[in-house]
């Protein structure tokens, strides 16, 4: 029975609603009698919301008779005090009464003022509308909605894609990928590299501990760089490429990601690939190392001085071939001009 019943409040109840919202009244009990909504009881506030609730609500209930209870909060909105609307429909009440009260519920709420009803509580047994039941209801109302198994898996994937840490300090994460935190040793050596106290750093991943560790650091020449790259495991490398470009001495920081193909496990390939972008972003933005080039190699022999130079300073082909207009079809004969008639 979802339609309106035509039951309306008496004039006395309407008048009482007009004066009962000044903050002095704590509880209003309304019942249906002779097809009218009538005031059954009203109690003024004695203490706080919590204290009055325990004393007043359960005492106002009858085991076999439905009723409505309006219970005032101590808080206000722009329309005045806020109220809790309790609909009591006991299990042992007559079915006709249950249906009648359920269908008239919206009418009473509208007549009282729906904008002042902050929460609604429905109960069929006393435990439902006790103060403990009210607290349980409020917890359930404001808890996040339950997730399906597919939604839970998607949430885990999103959490893994956007991690919130890349160093021992907590940082807001805005980059995509899996961001492992750096060990303190690796962080310190990156700062030394930024100050150009060394020319080479090699970083690795602790796959079980999920940390970016320092593999080695020190000075090396570009001719010995290939010998620093392992041939059986993946690594990240940072190298100060010291060279002369167009007659000027230049130092360029180069990031190298080395992955020796399928000699590494699937897990190692996936994690090194996923961690690369967050690590590069951290090196550039947080450590303050401007990377002139980011390279990916699978064979250390690629790291020659000529190869790195060409990557850092790519050659620009300034000679552009002019557009060659294609010849027309053969045998067309001489061009003709037509004269207007």
């Amino acid at each position: 029975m979802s339609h309106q019943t035509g039951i309306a409040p008496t004039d006395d109840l309407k008048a009482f609603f007009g004066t009962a919202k000044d903050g002095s009244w704590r509880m209003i009990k309304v019942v249906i009698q002779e097809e009218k909504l009538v005031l059954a009881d009203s109690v003024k506030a004695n203490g706080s919301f919590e204290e009055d609730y325990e004393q007043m609500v359960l005492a106002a209930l009858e085991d076999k008779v439905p009723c409505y209870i309006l219970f005032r909060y101590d808080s206000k909105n722009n329309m005045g005090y806020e109220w809790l609307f309790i609909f009591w429909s006991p299990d042992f009440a007559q079915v006709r009464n249950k249906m009648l009260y359920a269908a008239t519920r919206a009418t009473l709420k509208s007549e009282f003022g729906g904008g002042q009803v902050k929460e609604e509580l429905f109960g069929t047994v006393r435990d439902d509308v006790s103060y403990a039941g009210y607290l349980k209801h409020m917890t359930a109302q404001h808890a996040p909605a339950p997730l399906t198994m597919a939604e839970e898996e998607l949430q885990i994937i999103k959490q893994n894609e956007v991690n919130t840490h890349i160093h021992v300090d907590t940082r807001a994460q805005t980059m995509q990928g899996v961001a492992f935190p750096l060990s303190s040793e690796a962080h310190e050596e990156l700062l030394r590299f930024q100050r150009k106290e060394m020319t080479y750093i090699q970083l690795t991943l602790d796959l079980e501990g999920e940390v970016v560790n320092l593999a080695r650091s020190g000075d090396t020449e570009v001719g010995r760089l290939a010998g620093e790259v392992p041939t059986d495991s993946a690594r990240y490398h940072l190298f100060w490429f010291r060279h002369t470009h167009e007659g000027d001495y230049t130092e360029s920081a180069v990031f190298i990601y080395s992955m020796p193909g399928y000699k590494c496990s699937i897990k190692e390939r996936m994690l090194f690939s996923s961690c690369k972008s967050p690590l590069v972003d951290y090196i550039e933005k947080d450590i303050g190392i401007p990377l002139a080039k980011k390279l990916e190699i699978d064979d250390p022999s690629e790291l020659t001085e000529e190869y790195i130079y060409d990557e850092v300073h790519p050659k620009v082909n300034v000679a552009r071939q002019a557009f060659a207009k294609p010849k027309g079809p053969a045998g067309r004969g001489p061009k003709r001009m037509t004269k207007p008639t």
Side-chain angles (χ1 to χ4, degrees):
M1 190 173 181
S2 58
H3 59 278
Q4 297 297 310
T5 59
I7 295 175
T10 63
D11 292 337
D12 289 341
L13 180 58
K14 289 181 179 179
F16 181 77
F17 280 167
T19 60
K21 301 176 185 179
D22 60 357
S24 60
W25 298 94
R26 175 68 74 184
M27 188 189 75
I28 303 170
K29 178 180 177 182
V30 178
V31 297
I32 297 176
Q33 291 180 0
E34 298 179 358
E35 298 186 356
K36 292 286 185 181
L37 288 166
V38 300
L39 178 65
D41 194 10
S42 58
V43 184
K44 291 196 172 185
N46 293 323
S48 66
F49 172 84
E50 294 81 5
E51 294 167 347
D52 287 348
Y53 194 105
E54 291 282 6
Q55 298 174 7
M56 298 178 185
V57 172
L58 294 183
L61 304 180
E62 298 181 56
D63 291 336
K64 295 183 180 181
V65 181
C67 70
Y68 309 109
I69 291 178
L70 291 154
F71 202 82
R72 180 178 61 78
Y73 286 101
D74 294 325
S75 58
K76 290 183 176 182
N77 60 23
N78 57 359
M79 300 183 67
Y81 280 98
E82 296 176 313
W83 293 74
L84 169 67
F85 183 85
I86 303 172
F87 174 29
W88 169 245
S89 181
D91 287 332
F92 297 104
Q94 294 180 359
V95 175
R96 180 183 179 279
N97 279 350
K98 288 183 181 182
M99 296 176 66
L100 193 62
Y101 272 82
T104 313
R105 175 180 180 177
T107 300
L108 176 61
K109 183 179 173 182
S110 176
E111 290 287 347
F112 179 77
Q116 291 180 262
V117 176
K118 181 180 179 182
E119 299 288 345
E120 296 187 44
L121 180 62
F122 172 74
T124 58
V125 295
R126 288 177 175 267
D127 287 345
D128 292 340
V129 295
S130 66
Y131 188 66
Y134 163 76
L135 294 178
K136 187 183 296 184
H137 166 77
M138 293 301 295
T139 302
Q141 281 287 97
H142 298 286
L147 302 177
T148 64
M149 187 176 295
E151 289 172 333
E152 287 180 354
E153 291 175 356
L154 181 60
Q155 189 177 56
I156 292 172
I157 290 172
K158 288 181 178 179
Q159 289 172 350
N160 288 335
E161 286 180 347
V162 183
N163 196 291
T164 56
H165 297 284
I166 191 169
H167 178 48
V168 290
D169 299 321
T170 302
R171 308 189 58 83
Q173 176 70 308
T174 58
M175 49 198 169
Q176 295 296 319
V178 180
F180 286 178
L182 272 74
S183 66
S184 298
E185 185 182 20
H187 182 256
E188 290 300 322
E189 291 300 280
L190 282 173
L191 291 176
R192 291 184 59 204
F193 182 86
Q194 189 269 342
R195 295 192 296 266
K196 299 184 180 180
E197 296 178 11
M198 64 185 73
T199 61
Y200 177 72
I201 284 184
Q202 185 180 125
L203 301 172
T204 185
L205 295 183
D206 180 349
L207 303 184
E208 301 303 324
E210 298 186 348
V211 176
V212 180
N213 283 329
L214 178 71
R216 69 172 300 271
S217 61
D219 293 314
T220 190
E221 301 289 336
V222 65
R224 299 201 302 267
L225 186 59
E228 305 285 355
V229 180
T231 58
D232 58 350
S233 58
R235 289 289 190 273
Y236 303 121
H237 313 262
L238 279 166
F239 176 63
W240 280 115
F241 178 44
R242 295 171 175 172
H243 60 287
T244 301
H245 176 60
E246 296 181 350
D248 296 325
Y249 174 77
T250 305
E251 294 182 350
S252 303
V254 180
F255 179 88
I256 304 165
Y257 165 43
S258 62
M259 171 59 69
Y262 291 92
K263 295 179 182 178
C264 302
S265 66
I266 294 175
K267 181 178 180 180
E268 183 175 357
R269 294 201 302 271
M270 289 180 62
L271 286 179
F272 266 86
S273 177
S274 297
C275 288
K276 184 190 69 171
S277 292
L279 178 61
V280 166
D281 195 86
Y282 181 77
I283 289 171
E284 290 185 309
K285 294 181 180 178
D286 293 72
I287 301 296
I289 303 174
L291 299 177
K293 192 66 181 180
K294 308 172 191 70
L295 305 176
E296 294 187 20
I297 63 166
D298 54 15
D299 185 357
S301 63
E302 297 178 45
L303 291 177
T304 63
E305 181 174 5
E306 182 182 3
Y307 169 73
I308 297 175
Y309 183 90
D310 288 342
E311 289 293 325
V312 174
H313 305 288
K315 295 176 182 177
V316 180
N317 185 9
V318 295
R320 299 180 61 184
Q321 184 177 2
F323 175 72
K325 183 179 179 181
K327 294 181 179 181
R332 288 189 306 174
K335 293 182 179 180
R336 294 180 176 85
M337 294 182 62
T338 58
K339 295 181 180 180
T341 58

